[in-house]
Amino acid sequence: MLPWKRVIRPLAALLLAAVTVVVPTVTGAHASDVPTRGWNDYSCRPSVAHPRPVVLVHGTFGNSVDNWLGLAPYLVRRGYCVFSLDYGQLPGVPFLHGLGPLEKSAEQLDAFVDGVLAATGAAEADLVGHSQGGVMPRHYLRFLGGADEVNALVGIAPSNHGTTLGGLTRLLPYFPGAEDLLSEATPALAQQVAGSGFLTRLNEGGDTVPGVRYTVIATKYDEVVTPYRSQYLSGPGVRNVLLQDLCPLDLSEHLAIGLFDRIAFHEVANALDPARATPTTCASVFG
């Protein structure tokens, strides 16, 4: 084996390992076997107070259950109709999703939202996504007509402008074949690297599309989507939130902010219902 090939595989493995921390899997069980605690209930009808169903979009290596064991019940208890999907599956890779090309994943999201709207009778949905789940829907909004079906997109630690993984991805060009290997094995990872073709096309002409409200919730301790300010969006209808501005004691990193940070959850609820928003503080952890 050529010397550079000895480096490519460990580098690709390190990239995979870095993003694997996005979502842990349910040990010893298929995700569909885990109780969903009241979400994905297609008999649910949106209320006057919460007239839009909420679609949760998991992150890289996530699935429709594991990523949302904290946030989905939190929203259900507050009267929302909540749904989540699996997307981005690769052949022969069970449980871990969000690995396929983001364009194809956006098509899966499009079809899923259509089904949710048909089942609930709602005219629009709200989307909440973690990590890749915050950026992939933007392709749906911009290129697949999603702006006509979506009122708001809330991104929790989203990879909106890509990640450097703390500078690691800048080493890829120095190892011939590394980028191709990453793209072939896990397209979604390659597309979330800062400067990728997918992100260049997505962000050309502005970060947002008319008619959709955008919220980004970030943590300065994010070790996966770096630098954390690359998560922010600019444009009309955008609100960028740093958790530590709301609660300086919040130490959540990329995984925790999406899985169990109730301060982040409170800010998600505010973004979904800004007319009834209440201040998010360190005390929101008890809410």
Side-chain angles (χ1 to χ4, degrees):
M1 180 181 291
L2 294 176
W4 63 264
K5 287 188 176 180
R6 295 193 185 100
V7 179
I8 289 175
R9 295 190 183 277
L11 181 61
L14 184 56
L15 286 166
L16 292 172
V19 185
T20 300
V21 303
V22 172
V23 181
T25 58
V26 175
T27 303
H30 190 282
S32 62
D33 296 329
V34 180
T36 54
R37 304 184 188 179
W39 82 90
N40 282 332
D41 176 4
Y42 281 84
S43 67
C44 186
R45 296 295 176 265
S47 65
V48 173
H50 302 305
R52 293 176 298 275
V54 177
V55 174
L56 304 178
V57 189
H58 64 73
T60 309
F61 284 96
N63 61 57
S64 60
V65 174
D66 294 350
N67 211 143
W68 307 119
L69 290 172
L71 182 58
Y74 182 94
L75 294 176
V76 168
R77 287 194 298 270
R78 283 154 179 78
Y80 289 92
C81 292
V82 179
F83 301 86
S84 60
L85 77 156
D86 287 318
Y87 71 86
Q89 299 90 338
L90 290 181
V93 182
F95 315 133
L96 304 176
H97 306 313
L99 298 173
L102 271 68
E103 299 90 342
K104 296 295 184 182
S105 294
E107 293 175 5
Q108 291 179 275
L109 175 61
D110 185 6
F112 187 82
V113 172
D114 287 345
V116 167
L117 294 181
T120 60
E124 292 182 312
D126 289 327
L127 307 181
V128 179
H130 180 213
S131 194
Q132 180 191 157
V135 66
M136 177 273 284
R138 292 180 51 223
H139 182 90
Y140 158 56
L141 297 179
R142 181 175 292 276
F143 299 115
L144 302 180
D148 294 331
E149 301 176 327
V150 173
N151 167 71
L153 170 62
V154 183
I156 305 172
S159 49
N160 279 319
H161 295 280
T163 179
T164 68
L165 282 176
L168 182 62
T169 61
R170 296 193 183 102
L171 300 176
L172 287 171
Y174 295 98
F175 300 98
E179 292 174 289
D180 291 340
L181 177 63
L182 191 65
S183 297
E184 292 170 8
T186 52
L189 292 184
Q191 289 180 307
Q192 292 177 85
V193 171
S196 73
F198 173 85
L199 291 172
T200 299
R201 290 189 297 273
L202 179 64
N203 293 316
E204 281 177 344
D207 293 346
T208 63
V209 295
V212 179
R213 290 188 295 104
Y214 296 82
T215 302
V216 173
I217 304 172
T219 171
K220 68 180 182 181
Y221 300 114
D222 199 311
E223 78 285 21
V224 175
V225 182
T226 63
Y228 74 84
R229 289 184 180 86
S230 69
Q231 301 171 23
Y232 292 164
L233 295 172
S234 60
V238 170
R239 181 168 182 259
N240 295 309
V241 179
L242 183 64
L243 274 187
Q244 285 71 34
D245 288 341
L246 306 175
C247 175
L249 301 178
D250 194 320
L251 302 179
S252 290
E253 41 65 68
H254 189 81
L255 175 64
I257 190 177
L259 289 186
F260 52 76
D261 190 322
R262 292 177 69 87
I263 296 171
F265 294 176
H266 187 271
E267 197 58 24
V268 168
N270 281 347
L272 294 175
D273 192 359
R276 297 180 177 86
T278 59
T280 301
T281 67
C282 294
S284 299
V285 71
F286 303 110

